[in-house]
Amino acid sequence: MNPDLGLTYQQNSPLPDQPVEFLQIRFSDIDFVSPDLCTTLFDVPWGEDEQLHALSLDFSQEILLQLLARLDSTAQQRFLDEVNGQLPPFHVSLPEPVLVERVWCVLGEEQEVEGENFIPFVIQSLE
C-alpha cells in the first residue's frame, strides 16, 4: 500500500492548516460512509520524486450533488437508481467519470481503519 498523502502532508508541510488545491481529479468511485459523508480514494504522485501516495478525499452530500450536476440527466438517473434505498456504508461507481479541474480541501482528522492510520482531505469546493 502506498504511503498516505494526508499523513505525509501533515508531517512535511510548513502550513498544514492552509487549504490545499488538487488539480484534475477524476471521480469514478464513491463510498458512502454515512448519510452525510462520502469518500473516495486515489493514488497520486507527490513530492520531488513523484512517489505514489494514497489520497483520501472526504466530502458532503452538497459536494456530491455538485459532482452529479456534471453528469448528463441519464447518467444522473442511473446513479440515483443505484443508490436509492441503500443504507451506508456502501460503494458505488459513477456511470461515467467526472473530471474536476480544481478541488479545494483542508486536512481532516487522523483516522484508523483496519489498523491503518490516515488523514483524509476534506473537500471544501470544486471548480
Side-chain angles (χ1 to χ4, degrees), residues 1-2 14 25 29 33 40 62 91 107 118 121:
M1 181 175 205
N2 292 323
I25 298 292
D29 293 293
V33 178
T40 190
E62 178 183 333
H91 174 88
L107 204 54
F118 68 99
F121 287 85

Side-chain angles (χ1 to χ4, degrees), residues 111-123:
Q111 300 178 30
E112 182 181 341
V113 174
E114 298 177 4
E116 297 288 332
N117 286 10
F118 68 99
I119 300 176
F121 287 85
V122 179
I123 298 175

